[in-house]
Amino acid sequence: MVNRAEVREFLASRRARLTPETAGVVSAGGRRRVPGLRRDEVARLAGVSVDYYTRLERGNLAGASASVLDAIARALELDQAEQEHLHDLARAAAPARRKPATTPMQKIAASPVQHMLDAMTGAPAMVTNTRMDLVAANELGFALYSEMYRGSLRPANHSRFIFLDPRSHDFYPDWERAANVNVAILRRDAGRDPYDTGIAALVGELSIRSDEFRVRWAAHDVRRHYTGAKSFRHPVVGMLELNFQGMELQDAPGHTVTVYTAVPGTGTDEGLSLLASWAATERIADRAVQADEVPR
């Protein structure tokens, strides 16, 4: 993944979605040759020269100040995730300080993090990395995502499951939303660390094997994903409507712990109890851990 190309395509795509009317730009009239705003209009809104903005959009963010990036973000009406992504791209555009490398998968088993997960007996909890691998989970977490372990690819990976496994269309009642969110998170993480060859390899694999992924990746959408609600259609217990909260692990960079909870007294709350009973009977956690120990 080339940073200059990523910068160019991201800024151009954000500019193309705006119109003079929505941005409050007085147009000179006549036929417009580009979709959305022109570069000179963005430059005027941001308070920078046309030449300078053109240089930025061509991929040269190195040296751009935070105030300039914020002005560009306001001009392009970027949301918080997009603004953070722009700053990430600028940091990545600085002279390289390290060689491409894959962020190592943390050993969570038998660690304090795993002990924390196991202590959460009433809520599914799991750890994922920037490549969307499911690195660790408690028993309910493995049970919730048991469908991911029916495939042969290891480690279990959310992106591969969504785009390469037909079962995902049943598992996610709103598959389109799940797919959009997954790619937007992956795009954000790719912008944060363009040196991670593991992310690059995953993006390359999915781009080749999935038209659905390739179209979404080309959209350059990014998303923050720390809290919200998700729906699942579990093959054993049926529909689950869960709230989630995600927190980055400070001692394991690139890893996030996510906890899912149900509103007490609801059908989903009862469904989690049934899921826990099924997981204990089927020894889902043991089977998932053993599956991840199989060499790739």
Side-chain angles (χ1 to χ4, degrees):
M1 291 175 286
V2 180
N3 180 262
R4 289 179 69 93
E6 170 68 16
V7 172
R8 180 173 63 250
E9 293 165 10
F10 175 67
L11 289 176
S13 67
R14 302 308 94 170
R15 176 166 59 86
R17 71 183 181 181
L18 297 176
T19 64
E21 293 76 19
T22 59
V25 171
V26 178
S27 177
R31 185 170 177 267
R32 298 177 68 85
R33 301 162 110 188
V34 297
L37 296 182
R38 298 191 299 263
R39 286 176 177 169
D40 65 293
E41 292 168 335
V42 175
R44 188 163 69 250
L45 288 170
V48 299
S49 71
V50 177
D51 287 344
Y52 184 61
Y53 177 74
T54 299
R55 181 166 70 86
L56 295 180
E57 192 177 292
R58 284 177 177 168
N60 189 3
L61 283 183
S65 68
S67 60
V68 166
L69 295 175
D70 290 341
I72 298 297
R74 287 192 296 272
L76 293 175
E77 300 181 15
L78 304 186
D79 62 23
Q80 184 177 355
E82 292 169 329
Q83 185 171 354
E84 291 174 357
H85 185 59
L86 181 61
H87 281 267
D88 289 335
L89 293 175
R91 281 188 287 271
R97 291 186 293 273
R98 59 190 177 93
K99 296 180 180 179
T102 300
T103 301
M105 185 179 292
Q106 296 287 329
K107 297 295 184 181
I108 302 297
S111 73
V113 174
Q114 185 64 61
H115 299 159
M116 177 185 70
L117 296 175
D118 292 338
M120 300 179 191
T121 58
M126 64 211 66
V127 174
T128 53
N129 60 19
T130 55
R131 296 185 298 279
M132 301 293 177
D133 297 326
L134 201 160
V135 176
N138 63 4
E139 191 168 71
L140 263 179
F142 281 126
L144 177 63
Y145 281 103
S146 58
E147 286 293 272
M148 285 207 304
Y149 284 91
R150 293 183 182 275
S152 59
L153 292 176
R154 294 294 179 267
N157 180 278
H158 289 272
S159 299
R160 289 193 184 97
F161 176 63
I162 289 173
F163 291 103
L164 304 180
D165 193 327
R167 283 184 292 262
S168 67
H169 289 265
D170 291 327
F171 184 67
Y172 294 104
D174 190 347
W175 185 90
E176 292 286 338
R177 180 176 182 273
N180 291 340
V181 169
N182 181 273
V183 174
I185 296 170
L186 190 61
R187 170 67 79 176
R188 179 174 179 246
D189 286 333
R192 281 175 149 187
D193 190 0
Y195 300 102
D196 192 317
T197 56
I199 295 178
L202 177 64
V203 170
E205 174 192 354
L206 294 176
S207 295
I208 292 171
R209 300 180 63 186
S210 171
D211 292 338
E212 294 276 14
F213 177 86
R214 187 165 55 251
V215 169
R216 287 169 170 79
W217 187 255
H220 289 270
D221 292 332
V222 293
R223 184 185 178 103
R224 301 175 87 249
H225 199 62
Y226 296 123
T227 187
K230 284 186 179 181
S231 299
F232 305 92
R233 186 183 293 112
H234 195 277
V236 175
V237 300
M239 284 295 298
L240 297 171
E241 304 285 347
L242 297 169
N243 299 313
F244 70 90
Q245 186 75 41
M247 297 157 282
E248 295 185 358
L249 295 175
Q250 297 302 309
D251 292 335
H255 291 73
T256 300
V257 59
T258 303
V259 180
Y260 293 92
T261 57
V263 176
T266 61
T268 293
D269 189 28
E270 181 180 349
L272 285 184
S273 297
L274 294 173
L275 187 64
S277 299
W278 174 74
T281 302
E282 298 293 324
R283 301 184 65 81
I284 295 299
D286 291 343
R287 286 163 49 190
V289 171
Q290 290 167 4
D292 270 345
E293 289 174 349
V294 175
R296 284 181 286 172

